[in-house]
Amino acid sequence: MTSKKLSYGEYLQLGNILDSQNLQSAQKEHLVHDEMLFIIIHQTYELWFKQILHELDSVIDMFRDNYVQEENTGIVISRLGRIIEIQKLLIDQVGILETMTPMDFLEFRDLLSPASGFQSVQFREIENKLGMDAKQRIRFGKQSYDKYLDSDDRSKVLKSEKNPSLFILLENWLERTPFLQFEGFNFWNSYQIAVEEMINTDINRISSNPTLDDSARQASLKNYESIRKTYEALFDKKKYNKLIKNGHRKLSQKATLGALFIQLYRDEPILQLPHQLLTQLVDIDHLLTSWRYRHSLLVFRMIGIKIGTGGSAGHGYLKKTVEKHSIFGDLSNLSTYIIPRSSLPKLPEELKKQLGFYYTYGK
Amino acid sequence: MTSKKLSYGEYLQLGNILDSQNLQSAQKEHLVHDEMLFIIIHQTYELWFKQILHELDSVIDMFRDNYVQEENTGIVISRLGRIIEIQKLLIDQVGILETMTPMDFLEFRDLLSPASGFQSVQFREIENKLGMDAKQRIRFGKQSYDKYLDSDDRSKVLKSEKNPSLFILLENWLERTPFLQFEGFNFWNSYQIAVEEMINTDINRISSNPTLDDSARQASLKNYESIRKTYEALFDKKKYNKLIKNGHRKLSQKATLGALFIQLYRDEPILQLPHQLLTQLVDIDHLLTSWRYRHSLLVFRMIGIKIGTGGSAGHGYLKKTVEKHSIFGDLSNLSTYIIPRSSLPKLPEELKKQLGFYYTYGK
Amino acid sequence: MTSKKLSYGEYLQLGNILDSQNLQSAQKEHLVHDEMLFIIIHQTYELWFKQILHELDSVIDMFRDNYVQEENTGIVISRLGRIIEIQKLLIDQVGILETMTPMDFLEFRDLLSPASGFQSVQFREIENKLGMDAKQRIRFGKQSYDKYLDSDDRSKVLKSEKNPSLFILLENWLERTPFLQFEGFNFWNSYQIAVEEMINTDINRISSNPTLDDSARQASLKNYESIRKTYEALFDKKKYNKLIKNGHRKLSQKATLGALFIQLYRDEPILQLPHQLLTQLVDIDHLLTSWRYRHSLLVFRMIGIKIGTGGSAGHGYLKKTVEKHSIFGDLSNLSTYIIPRSSLPKLPEELKKQLGFYYTYGK
Amino acid sequence: MTSKKLSYGEYLQLGNILDSQNLQSAQKEHLVHDEMLFIIIHQTYELWFKQILHELDSVIDMFRDNYVQEENTGIVISRLGRIIEIQKLLIDQVGILETMTPMDFLEFRDLLSPASGFQSVQFREIENKLGMDAKQRIRFGKQSYDKYLDSDDRSKVLKSEKNPSLFILLENWLERTPFLQFEGFNFWNSYQIAVEEMINTDINRISSNPTLDDSARQASLKNYESIRKTYEALFDKKKYNKLIKNGHRKLSQKATLGALFIQLYRDEPILQLPHQLLTQLVDIDHLLTSWRYRHSLLVFRMIGIKIGTGGSAGHGYLKKTVEKHSIFGDLSNLSTYIIPRSSLPKLPEELKKQLGFYYTYGK
């Protein structure tokens, strides 16, 4: 593009983009009208995946270089905000594919075999870069998920598995939160008392609830025992590491305390954007989960309980991944230990200053 | 309103509507800002539930009086279409409640106890009128769901349980489909051959798939055994009733065949609107399921794994209801037995005429 | 793709699709992060335009071959329904571009010049195939819209201008409605009386409204004079053609009467799907209009009142096209002449039969 | 509610809420099915208006008491964010009313007269509290908008007109921005040079554009003359006040400079939340505008060009208000004067410190 006369079509390379719909049905038998939609909707999904990766990579870079705290937090938040808007669109977009009826899909389904959405490299990269653990993945058959890919794709995916993910970098960043220890600040004691009170109120409510029979009551009380246990572990590194080892938690104890501090004192100037960031990660996780859920409903609607075009997958597999493949679940789960704003221990003057603007306190 | 000068506010009774936000926090301690949102969003949900019941009741009436087939199908479809639009809104509306943080919710959560969304009479009526079985409901504690209601509410809900539901009336209507038996028409034979072929292709694909290990292959093949079984049962009343008895199916064999015929020959004029209707019922079921799912995510986000304000419920219970409380699942599941349009047995001339317009064939 | 081993990436030609993002900023200076979004969102728009054209072409084909009435109406409606779902997505998608701030856009805006969205061939084809008149287009500068295109693109666009559009084919189809004249049926007389009554009630309300001053009253009465005039023209071909000649109407008198008959007697079986079709065309027109509106707001948000990258266009031009470029406005405008269902003249038995199913009346 | 046993229905006062649908058609003739939807959708609109006012009032309170800058900015932003989510819902909600056809609306339209949406007190309060000028309102007839209200409603609305609006408080807050004057900082000079360059590039592009004819070129150049004028006025209080007096601007010169500084240096910690706030106000304004637009389309679809039930209003009036009733247009219009991040004059060290956190600079 040396000339000045850049055109819209050249800029967007529409020659390539609009000439890449190669209907299998057109080649093999007769063109099936609805196959076009099937191709185009998947191509738009992949384009949006590319955009998500573009944003995710830039955010990971900023976290890796330890320059998140200051000027860049605003940029990180606007980029994660963009990912969220894209995710919402991707969920809504499923509705367009639902205008294809099962009968119309069957007309070309067999021609696609053994190609499968299972082979989307970019989707695996998004999962890995966000922080999905290879161990965490639900397996289908003896093979790991990367075995369905050719060698180029496989190495791309495995690379994304090895590089530090957003989850890991966030964990480090949270562990560095400088305000957790503060001279003479008995915050965690007061906090513990407030949580105990909240848990006890709930336990009393369960014990005295006449509508519960014994088995239901026991189940509820057992649940609260586990709440109390994980909550006690918050302040006991050894116990917490055991929870992690058993797969009940992913985020380190120190990072969890950092996240809790941010969520509780989010009104302090220096914590406002970090609070937004943690909320966005919960959003991203829930939207990913919702997308999986919507996808599994779609597949059921399209092929019932039959197998997918890849020879495996199908509705049953997809349904299992919905909750199992959550990444930032520990951040949502903090809600179990949040206390009301009115019970918050007051911060010492000096700490409050540290959390404020120079303009306010620096004079 | 005797005078001519009806005003906007009188017409909508805004005096009542806008004066019914009684914040518990304002009465007991100090007003908590976010409690207003909690009240107003639930009130709008209940208003929309009333509208859904209004549409549902009118559709049930039309079905009950056996006058669906002709002029009214268009009206039935436009009213179910409205329910679908409302359901989409109700799902989106969850996003507004998500602007409330767990910390802000805690500020008034305890004041609401033991009130609980579990007590929404209208929601139970919607479920029952659509066709949820009392036996099907997931129990919490020894009590049935109606025991949480006061006596007026309970009798309302139980009444909606006893009256013929949309599910029952649809079943009767489908059983009356007059085209299932037609002199000399070997449709079901040809259909059976086409399905067998489809199933066999899939089974071959499973057997020869190198990426599956033995246990995965056995699981897939077992799944297809069950597909074959239920499909054979389609043509054997006795076998089908056994599936129903064991909870694998709800819709009668005859009604299922009627629905299948409609979905397969939906292009014939007389079946076009019935096809739209069946598709809408699948939509309504999936949207109800999606709403439950979104709701369970919201609760997790708000209170983690703690109990709900009713002393029970909570995220765990809600998650279980998501799929278990499906009503028209048998209609979605028809996809398992749909064949491509190009394999459809050709209809005999005389039957085609029966499915057409008088204008076309009556001259 | 001769081998059996079709893969997901090959099927979707992801090599092409994901390698067509050529950032101008990367070539000329330094890569501007947000340019990627700008390219990808436009590429997804173009992919969806291709899908809309795919549906539109198939619908036009069905209309051209005169085989719409029967089996295919269901298919036409499901394909227009798909266009509608895509249009809704395209409007929502604007929200993603709004995550780019004006400051970030400026970083690469100058590099795009003189490329402009004005040059989207597919968008022009959609407009033309739906039925936009070349004369109707708002001009910018002395040049017609096609002068901004290179010769290949221009000939494509001009071809789409010349071929019969959906508007033209719909007009023909409506003119062929066989039920407009029916022996001894005085429908149009009864209809005229009902409309007169409705208009007179409104005029009385205007005349006796104390809150209107003279000039407002005169304006309203003048509006009703024009309503009465166009309504009288409905039954007078000469007068109607004058309205068309003066640009007040596009649809022929005969076709308008056909559309009116369908909208009024939409509950009759043979008119139910045609009614859905007319409603869909109103939807498509309004969604196109809404998209233009949303687009003009976006441009204002991005560059204020400055010129677009094409050297022209910009917010002011776009705003003007919003209403001026409507295609099926005559169908929305029918609302002015609709009467309540309860005032509908009763159809003679024999006509009712013609509008029913053979199954009902053919025995 | 003295007892402990608060129930869901009592808490939400469902007795009132669900018993306030008084169908005019049920009283006067026979019940018209669709009137229920008409009532319920308007009631949900009014409930959401109440919620918007609840958030707006609290934000106005915080601004009035001059305590926005610090801890409360996060709260202000989350409350405006909630208003935005509600506005999006209100726009989507129009789609539900569109499931009512013109023919069904006509069945009860006459019974509503002279009640009119024009009489929504809460909507007027929202407009006034946001900052709509009474002078700015498009008049219909000789009467001001409040004359359609009874005396209680009128005094409420007039009160909201008199109290300081969010617009006024925002203006004061922006004028107080402390960083506009800074010793030895030649920011505005460098800025002026960058804008000049940008404008000149555009003017050159217009002058040398071969596709423009003389009249189009003159129009574009004239537009740029006006851009240059308003931009020069930015730095000349006298000239700026003239623009305000002539209705071209609403926001004071000083406040506009404050807003511009925030938008340009939004990456500095102390300006990140103020930048979010300004962006939200643009969003709120555009969503209000979009709602008006969608509403005017709906009315056209329902009654064509006939008058509204209030004897006036209708599509024509509504269309005019769409752009005329914008409130924060001056903030969107800042885009005309934004320069790219890369051209931003560098801030002096001492000023950068003032814009940072105490934690960073206070040690």
Side-chain angles (χ1 to χ4, degrees), chain A residues 101 104 106-107 110 143 202 205 211 223-224 266 283 289 293 301 305 307 322 335 338 341-342, chain B residues 101 104 106-107 109-110 143 202 205 211 223-224 266 283 289 293 301 305 307 322 335 338 341-342:
Chain A
T101 63
D104 291 314
L106 280 184
E107 208 73 56
D110 283 350
Q143 310 277 23
D202 278 0
R205 212 177 284 155
T211 62
N223 183 30
Y224 270 76
R266 65 186 190 199
D283 284 338
T289 297
Y293 184 68
R301 187 190 187 108
I305 56 173
I307 53 168
V322 172
S335 307
I338 290 288
R341 196 183 252 123
S342 56
Chain B
T101 63
D104 290 314
L106 280 183
E107 208 72 58
R109 169 187 179 244
D110 283 350
Q143 309 281 25
D202 278 359
R205 212 176 286 154
T211 63
N223 183 31
Y224 268 75
R266 64 188 190 199
D283 283 337
T289 296
Y293 184 67
R301 185 187 187 110
I305 56 172
I307 55 167
V322 172
S335 308
I338 290 288
R341 197 182 252 122
S342 55

Side-chain angles (χ1 to χ4, degrees), chain D residues 106 111 120 124 135 150 184 258:
Chain D
L106 280 184
L111 305 174
S120 168
R124 298 305 172 195
K135 296 165 296 188
D150 68 32

Side-chain angles (χ1 to χ4, degrees), chain C residues 101 104 106-107 109-110 143 202 205 223-224 266 283 289 293 301 305 307 322 335 338 341-342, chain D residues 101 104 106-107 109-110 202 205 211 223-224 266 283 289 293 301 305 307 322 335 338 341-342:
Chain C
T101 64
D104 291 314
L106 280 184
E107 208 72 58
R109 169 187 178 244
D110 283 350
Q143 309 279 23
D202 279 0
R205 212 177 285 154
N223 183 31
Y224 270 76
R266 66 189 189 197
D283 284 338
T289 297
Y293 185 67
R301 187 190 186 107
I305 56 172
I307 53 166
V322 171
S335 307
I338 290 287
R341 197 182 253 122
S342 55
Chain D
T101 63
D104 291 314
L106 280 184
E107 209 71 58
R109 170 190 178 240
D110 282 348
D202 279 359
R205 212 176 285 154
T211 63
N223 183 31
Y224 269 75
R266 64 186 191 202
D283 283 338
T289 296
Y293 184 67
R301 186 188 186 109
I305 57 173
I307 54 167
V322 170
S335 308
I338 290 288
R341 195 183 253 120
S342 55

Side-chain angles (χ1 to χ4, degrees), chain A residues 272, chain D residues 67-78 273-274 277:
Chain A
Q272 289 176 333
Chain D
Y67 59 96
V68 174
Q69 191 73 39
E70 307 282 303
E71 282 94 343
N72 289 306
T73 332
I75 298 179
V76 164
I77 280 169
S78 75
L273 291 191
L277 193 150

Side-chain angles (χ1 to χ4, degrees), chain D residues 246-309:
Chain D
N246 296 338
H248 296 309
R249 288 293 181 279
K250 285 179 71 182
L251 200 65
S252 77
Q253 181 226 14
K254 205 174 169 193
T256 305
L257 287 178
L260 197 53
F261 185 78
I262 290 170
Q263 294 299 58
L264 292 171
Y265 291 98
R266 64 186 191 202
D267 292 337
E268 304 302 321
I270 209 174
L271 300 180
Q272 289 175 334
L273 291 191
H275 161 66
Q276 287 186 11
L277 193 150
L278 295 183
T279 306
Q280 284 183 320
L281 292 174
V282 171
D283 283 338
I284 287 174
D285 212 31
H286 282 200
L287 286 165
L288 199 59
T289 296
S290 293
W291 188 82
R292 290 183 204 281
Y293 184 67
R294 184 82 190 262
H295 185 208
S296 82
L297 274 184
L298 170 76
V299 168
F300 183 50
R301 186 188 186 109
M302 283 307 226
I303 60 171
I305 57 173
K306 286 182 292 193
I307 54 167
T309 49

Side-chain angles (χ1 to χ4, degrees), chain C residues 28-39:
Chain C
K28 296 195 180 154
E29 297 173 44
H30 66 289
L31 187 146
V32 176
H33 180 84
D34 278 15
E35 195 188 346
M36 180 67 87
L37 175 63
F38 196 78
I39 292 176

